[in-house]
Structure formats: C-alpha cells, structure tokens
Amino acid sequence: MASLKPLHGTELVDCARANAKQGIETAAYQCGYGEDLNKFARELRKACEEMNLQVKELNELITDQDMILELGTGEIVAPDTATEL
C-alpha cells in the first residue's frame, strides 16, 4: 500500500529498499512521492546520508540477503530423523 504522505528517514529507506526491484517509479509512488522522482531521489539520498549509508543508486539498497531470498528454489538437505545424524 502506498504511503499517503512522503516518507522520510529510516521509513523512506526501508520502503525504498522493499520496492527497489520494481524500479524507481514504483518505489517513489509507494514511498509517497507520486511521480516526483527528483524529490524522491533527493530525500532518499539525504536519508541514506543520515544513516551513514553509501548509496548512489536505488538498486544498491538491494542486499545479498534479498537476492538469496529471491532465489529460494534450493534443495534442502537434512536427515529424515534426529537419529540419522
């Protein structure tokens, strides 16, 4: 659900990160900036600086953990019971 008002600070960074894979237009809309991509980018840069994050582009917010979770199609290798360790 898109924010009704523009987000700032950690809320903005969290929302932008959650929507980064969908692109800047979607992220800006979901974070409450509508079609104002310049203001969204400016506020996101400001919020990242306040959190000491070195981010130049939106896709840099996507972490390795996000990539691993997206894969999620691996095979689980484990014993059937505790006695089969």
Side-chain angles (χ1 to χ4, degrees), residues 13-75:
V13 174
D14 288 343
C15 181
R17 180 177 169 244
N19 293 285
K21 292 178 196 164
Q22 285 76 37
I24 190 168
E25 293 87 4
T26 300
Y29 177 78
Q30 294 293 343
C31 294
Y33 289 87
E35 295 180 9
D36 194 349
L37 301 182
N38 290 326
K39 185 172 182 182
F40 169 70
R42 190 171 46 250
E43 290 298 322
L44 182 57
R45 238 180 259 116
K46 180 181 169 186
C48 286
E49 286 175 11
E50 290 172 358
M51 295 174 64
N52 292 320
L53 294 174
Q54 304 278 328
V55 177
K56 293 181 182 154
E57 294 184 18
L58 181 63
N59 65 0
E60 292 178 12
L61 288 174
I62 301 171
T63 65
D64 291 339
Q65 287 179 333
D66 294 329
M67 300 299 270
I68 291 169
L69 289 175
E70 184 177 297
L71 294 175
T73 58
E75 185 175 332

